[in-house]
Amino acid sequence: MFAAAVVVGLRHVALVVGADDVTNPAARTRPDSPTYGMPILDVASARTVMVVKRAMSAGFAGVENELYHLGKTLMLFGDAKDVAGGLARELEDALRGPRV
């Protein structure tokens, strides 16, 4: 996980699918959090964060994820397979350019 956390900081976009507690910045910044000190993926350092979840419910630790309230975080609600498939299709279309 450490290697992944180091690499994330070099990215423009972080796509988080189904992870909650392991992406919560409170694990680094809030000593009163039950997750404080836990190793996390530093997705908050990406320029844009896209999170795929079924709902806004808390993770296993029962702690609200501060990542979800950052201005650079986009929340995408739904089934992860459907959402990821839709994103892939949109990217393919965008890379292909306008249809003639």
Side-chain angles (χ1 to χ4, degrees):
M1 181 158 50
F2 175 74
V6 170
V7 172
V8 169
L10 304 175
R11 302 293 176 236
H12 291 283
V13 177
L15 177 62
V16 178
V17 180
D20 201 311
D21 295 330
V22 298
T23 62
N24 194 340
R28 290 199 175 131
T29 61
R30 294 201 34 219
D32 61 329
S33 172
T35 60
Y36 185 73
M38 181 178 95
I40 63 167
L41 297 171
D42 189 21
V43 297
S45 66
R47 208 174 275 176
T48 301
V49 182
M50 300 171 74
V51 178
V52 180
K53 283 186 63 114
R54 289 188 183 271
M56 282 295 288
S57 57
F60 183 76
V63 178
E64 186 172 353
N65 194 329
E66 295 177 0
L67 177 71
Y68 303 161
H69 303 285
L70 298 179
K72 61 183 173 180
T73 301
L74 305 170
M75 300 299 294
L76 306 169
F77 295 103
D79 178 78
K81 183 178 178 182
D82 294 340
V83 172
L87 286 172
R89 284 188 295 282
E90 292 290 331
L91 285 171
E92 287 173 355
D93 289 347
L95 292 173
R96 233 183 266 129
R99 296 183 187 179
V100 186

